[in-house]
Amino acid sequence: MQQIVIRYSEVGLKGKNRHWFENLLIKNIKKHLSVFGSCQISKIHGRIILETAGEVLPVCNALQYIPGIANFSVAVSASHDMTDIAENALLLTRKFLENKKVESATFKVSARRADKTFPMNSMQLSAEMGGQILDELPALRVDLHHPQMEIGIEIWPKNKSILYLEKIPGQGGLPSGSAGKVISLISGGIDSPVSSWFMMKRGCTPIFLHFHSFPFVGEQSRQKVIDLVAHLSRYQPESTLIIVPFSDIQKAIKTDCSEKNRTLLYRRMMYHIGEKIRKQYHALAFVTGEAVGQVASQTLENLNCTAAVTTVPVLRPLIGMEKSEIIAWAKKIGTYDISIQPFPDCCTVFQPRKPEIHGHLRDIEADEAHLEVEKLIAETMEKLEIMNFQTQTQDKFWS
Ligand code: ATP
Ligand code: MG
């Protein structure tokens, strides 16, 4: 059995609710890893211990995507016996040298004593183990500031200790499902997948909502959004994508309303339909990839005109970011390469030559009154396409 020690971030700070957060994180980890066969999971001393009989690398790849995990280590375990600990420390050291194909390296031992009955304190244990490693492997050198290799030792209660070489960073944040559902308005662009990810990292569960303007935009635009949601489903156990046919509504807006207001009216219709779906799914907020001033529809006046349709919060995690920052995040979370495929979004259909930049809510509402809003909503709600994604069926990602 291989052992992985998982450390969690803010979950550890949750006071009386801590067990609830821990158990949710464990439930999520089990769902994410179910594709790898049986993994045994237990809680010990503010850590989650995962034991697997299978390959470790794909499990590590999957763990890196799970919100709520601060970092984790592939570990070996020992008792409190100093000879046992030293043997395992040497085993890890030799493995490191072998993997790196080197005879020598700088190193540091970082010990942490969770069991205060252990006879040495952390500093003494680190120094003692460092000394024993140097006795056996004199070509090594100690470097406390920038070591090439760091051996972590944690002394746990009940005569158990664990040793590891690296802490692999996780997503941080809170476990998926701890903060409730949100409706995430997702286009095929760079911004909205990033905004969804930010909220997933805060424990929200996005229901992805995409408006698609077939036949004005092609099948490739639809597939791009499916690919984005499939990618984002690495970060939560289950994802739902709802694709809404939007061309009839856009045609009605083109025919009945002022040209300059089109984009704002598209957005308002997205919220009108979004509201119906939000209530069906018991979601508590909307999420968008908007940033102040990025395009004409995202001036403060226009953001007010569009979000006025709903009474629940519209969460905009990118609101103060520059495009270059958003692009850096998109690259980090792996959505950038999908987003930059050159297939248009519905918002480009019948785009006004001179869009309204400083919309007034009363004028926009008056223009919207030219539409049969309720009828358009009802007809559209009949034609939703709903797709479900399970993180564990995305197993091709983990290899
Ligand atoms: P980019 O700006 O990189 O093209 P974007 O996703 O931000 O991508 P915008 O035109 O800036 O696209 O749209 C602003 C926001 O409106 C998006 O972040 C998204 O939340 C929402 N949105 C735009 N188009 C759609 C759509 N077709 N379906 C659902 N939501 C959309
Ligand atoms: Mg944008």
Side-chain angles (χ1 to χ4, degrees):
M1 281 290 218
Q2 279 274 9
Q3 192 168 247
I4 299 173
V5 180
I6 299 169
R7 304 172 189 86
Y8 33 79
S9 45
E10 289 176 51
V11 175
L13 307 172
K14 292 291 172 200
K16 285 193 185 129
N17 292 327
R18 178 183 168 143
H19 291 299
W20 185 81
F21 279 92
E22 282 174 339
N23 291 341
L24 182 60
L25 180 56
I26 289 173
K27 205 167 115 196
N28 289 346
I29 293 172
K30 282 184 178 161
K31 282 187 190 165
H32 277 263
L33 300 184
S34 62
V35 71
F36 304 120
S38 79
C39 289
Q40 283 171 20
I41 299 188
S42 51
K43 283 192 277 184
I44 298 183
H45 224 82
R47 306 270 189 265
I48 293 170
I49 312 299
L50 191 151
E51 285 180 305
T52 173
E55 262 192 86
V56 172
L57 197 62
V59 172
C60 289
N61 287 343
L63 289 175
Q64 286 176 66
Y65 288 95
I66 303 177
I69 296 178
N71 59 61
F72 56 93
S73 302
V74 179
V76 292
S77 50
S79 64
H80 282 189
D81 179 72
M82 289 300 280
T83 316
D84 192 17
I85 297 173
E87 268 172 18
N88 279 287
L90 277 162
L91 190 98
L92 288 182
T93 309
R94 290 202 170 97
K95 211 186 253 177
F96 177 90
L97 298 174
E98 202 181 295
N99 287 346
K100 299 277 178 205
K101 298 189 174 57
V102 290
E103 310 250 298
S104 160
T106 58
F107 82 105
K108 168 186 179 179
V109 178
S110 298
R112 182 177 163 272
R113 191 177 56 145
D115 180 356
K116 302 293 179 207
T117 63
F118 188 77
M120 282 181 182
N121 69 26
S122 303
M123 295 267 279
Q124 289 165 334
L125 179 59
S126 301
E128 173 63 28
M129 281 303 136
Q132 292 207 23
I133 290 168
L134 280 177
D135 288 347
E136 288 291 322
L137 299 164
L140 299 192
R141 268 186 308 113
V142 173
D143 182 344
L144 296 181
H145 302 293
H146 303 290
Q148 290 163 316
M149 174 186 74
E150 183 166 350
I151 302 175
I153 304 177
E154 293 181 14
I155 304 292
W156 290 355
K158 298 191 182 150
N159 196 28
K160 187 167 162 97
S161 62
I162 58 147
L163 296 91
Y164 50 88
L165 279 183
E166 71 176 317
K167 284 186 177 171
I168 303 166
Q171 293 292 313
L174 295 168
S176 171
S178 60
K181 290 182 199 158
V182 292
I183 300 290
S184 186
L185 296 176
I186 188 160
S187 69
I190 294 168
D191 306 331
S192 45
V194 175
S195 62
S196 303
W197 172 80
F198 266 107
M199 297 322 299
M200 283 161 133
K201 226 163 89 81
R202 297 312 301 162
C204 294
T205 306
I207 310 291
F208 296 97
L209 193 58
H210 175 66
F211 292 80
H212 186 247
S213 194
F214 186 79
F216 302 120
V217 303
E219 166 61 23
Q220 287 160 316
S221 298
R222 178 179 165 278
Q223 188 58 45
K224 187 177 165 186
V225 174
I226 294 171
D227 292 346
L228 282 168
V229 174
H231 181 88
L232 288 169
S233 73
R234 298 173 183 207
Y235 296 93
Q236 63 183 4
E238 288 110 14
S239 302
T240 301
L241 166 64
I242 302 173
I243 300 180
V244 185
F246 205 44
S247 51
D248 287 345
I249 290 178
Q250 290 186 287
K251 276 192 271 183
I253 291 172
K254 181 180 181 240
T255 311
D256 297 333
C257 307
S258 157
E259 179 183 338
K260 69 178 169 46
N261 293 335
R262 272 178 206 161
T263 314
L264 296 185
L265 293 170
Y266 292 170
R267 281 290 141 71
R268 283 178 59 89
M269 285 305 289
M270 288 183 187
Y271 281 112
H272 280 302
I273 291 165
E275 265 297 299
K276 295 268 180 226
I277 293 169
R278 182 185 74 73
K279 286 176 186 154
Q280 281 178 2
Y281 281 82
H282 307 289
L284 301 169
F286 286 92
V287 179
T288 79
E290 291 160 321
V292 170
Q294 193 191 71
V295 287
S297 60
Q298 293 168 37
T299 60
L300 288 179
E301 291 92 335
N302 285 351
L303 291 177
N304 284 332
C305 288
T306 51
V309 172
T310 174
T311 50
V312 298
V314 177
L315 309 174
R316 301 180 178 99
L318 315 184
I319 197 72
M321 287 193 197
E322 290 180 27
K323 196 75 186 186
S324 57
E325 290 173 76
I326 302 170
I327 287 173
W329 282 111
K331 287 182 178 167
K332 184 174 179 294
I333 66 171
T335 52
Y336 181 75
D337 288 340
I338 309 172
S339 290
I340 57 169
Q341 293 173 58
F343 308 125
D345 183 48
C346 70
C347 293
T348 59
V349 173
F350 314 133
Q351 219 167 15
R353 281 159 293 184
K354 273 195 167 179
E356 176 63 72
I357 293 177
H358 304 292
H360 293 285
L361 183 57
R362 241 180 295 151
D363 299 342
I364 302 295
E365 282 175 342
D367 205 5
E368 189 180 79
H370 297 124
L371 298 168
E372 289 184 285
V373 173
E374 285 309 320
K375 184 166 166 271
L376 288 169
I377 295 173
E379 285 168 0
T380 306
M381 290 297 289
E382 297 285 308
K383 295 184 239 159
L384 304 181
E385 183 188 356
I386 301 173
M387 303 174 80
N388 291 307
F389 300 75
Q390 308 273 311
T391 195
Q392 66 267 32
T393 58
Q394 312 298 321
D395 57 337
K396 62 175 192 271
F397 297 137
W398 313 132
S399 46

